[in-house]
Amino acid sequence: MATTAVSMLKPAASNPATSPQLTDTLIASVHHKREQVIALLQAASSEFGNVTFANSYGAEDMVLTDIIAKAQLPVEIFSLDTGRLPAETYTLMSEVESTYDIKPVVFFPKHDAVEHYVRTKGINAFYESIELRKACCHMRKVEPLQRALAGKQAWVTGMRAEQAATRASLPTREFDAANQLEKFNPLSDWTEKEVWAYIRLFNVPYNQLHDQFYPSIGCAPCTRAVAMGEDVRAGRWWWENPDSKECGLHVK
């Protein structure tokens, strides 16, 4: 159980994971997988027509944003603003708009739900139990996602299989029973090195917290830096067991 005395100090920007050595093999793999992603998203758009991409502005989502924008794929881009994102994420949001000349659709939590939670549970009640943390995630992420997906036939995520124990068997395509639509995970088989190689090769803007050992970035109070060798999702809800560390957006 965590306390509210959480240190959010940021280490110096020297994370080697964000600058992998660009070997010929790695470069070839990235270009090959980029073409696979384009083909998958083109097929998804042809089959379903109304496809949307959930961009959380992590490194993986920036790869997909770059591919969708540069390949001019007919895929809508949206994001969820929980109201408690790091300042660096908002900076990246603005950079995405200017770099790609796009304005992703932004969905916010319902103010009455947030006000009720804070008044009755407390501003940082999510540290107190898994139930209260999931309730916070539900009002700030899950419910807005449901509105974002309303009327859509398929949606796209930047999830990778190696990110967490909860994603180990992640397919590139699956039926999302919770939201009753098709779901595509084009980067499922990508490695962290391939993600960062793509970002370096194609000069993709990214969240500067990644350089400070934040491989996975969510809301500021629920995200910390990780130590060298730690799992890439270790900094998300670090006070919980790995098998419960999902916000509810991708729980089957």
Side-chain angles (χ1 to χ4, degrees):
M1 183 68 65
T3 68
T4 54
V6 177
S7 173
M8 299 306 292
L9 295 177
K10 301 168 186 175
S14 58
N15 185 2
T18 65
S19 297
Q21 182 180 1
L22 299 178
T23 63
D24 291 342
T25 300
L26 182 57
I27 292 172
S29 178
V30 166
H31 282 284
H32 175 66
K33 287 189 173 182
R34 179 180 187 273
E35 293 306 311
Q36 288 182 322
V37 171
I38 291 174
L40 179 64
L41 294 182
Q42 285 175 333
S45 298
S46 296
E47 182 177 355
F48 295 100
N50 200 348
V51 180
T52 191
F53 163 50
N55 183 3
S56 66
Y57 295 94
E60 291 81 7
D61 289 346
M62 289 310 305
V63 168
L64 287 175
T65 297
D66 188 80
I67 291 174
I68 291 169
K70 289 179 179 175
Q72 298 184 323
L73 300 174
V75 176
E76 177 195 68
I77 301 177
F78 76 89
S79 66
L80 306 178
D81 186 343
T82 66
R84 300 203 67 169
L85 300 176
E88 291 85 350
T89 301
Y90 293 110
T91 298
L92 179 58
M93 286 182 176
S94 179
E95 192 173 358
V96 165
E97 292 181 356
S98 60
T99 299
Y100 299 105
D101 192 26
I102 58 175
K103 289 197 182 311
V105 182
V106 182
F107 290 84
F108 295 86
K110 291 184 176 180
H111 71 87
D112 53 344
V114 176
E115 289 169 2
H116 177 75
Y117 181 95
V118 172
R119 289 170 181 167
T120 59
K121 307 300 182 183
I123 190 68
N124 285 337
F126 41 81
Y127 290 128
E128 297 175 12
S129 70
I130 292 179
E131 290 71 26
L132 287 174
R133 195 273 294 168
K134 288 186 175 181
C136 187
C137 286
H138 187 277
M139 71 180 179
R140 293 184 185 273
K141 294 183 178 182
V142 178
E143 190 282 327
L145 176 71
Q146 292 170 347
R147 283 185 277 124
L149 297 182
K152 306 299 181 184
Q153 295 177 296
W155 69 302
V156 179
T157 84
M159 292 196 299
R160 293 186 298 112
E162 71 171 21
Q163 283 176 320
T166 54
R167 301 177 180 182
S169 301
L170 183 71
T172 55
R173 175 176 178 170
E174 58 187 324
F175 182 71
D176 181 353
N179 292 296
Q180 290 295 298
L181 75 171
E182 208 69 15
K183 182 178 180 181
F184 292 87
N185 310 301
L187 305 186
S188 175
D189 65 343
W190 284 50
T191 65
E192 185 181 17
K193 280 188 177 180
E194 287 169 335
V195 169
W196 281 102
Y198 184 101
I199 288 172
R200 297 306 181 184
L201 286 168
F202 292 91
N203 195 30
V204 179
Y206 64 90
N207 195 316
Q208 294 305 302
L209 286 176
H210 288 308
D211 285 331
Q212 300 169 15
F213 295 90
Y214 284 71
S216 179
I217 303 168
C219 292
C222 296
T223 306
R224 66 159 172 81
V226 303
M228 292 293 290
E230 271 194 300
D231 182 84
V232 295
R233 298 264 298 174
R236 301 292 298 278
W237 310 295
W238 62 91
W239 60 93
E240 296 182 13
N241 292 325
D243 57 0
S244 69
K245 292 166 65 170
E246 289 286 358
C247 60
L249 297 180
H250 305 294
V251 173
K252 296 181 181 179

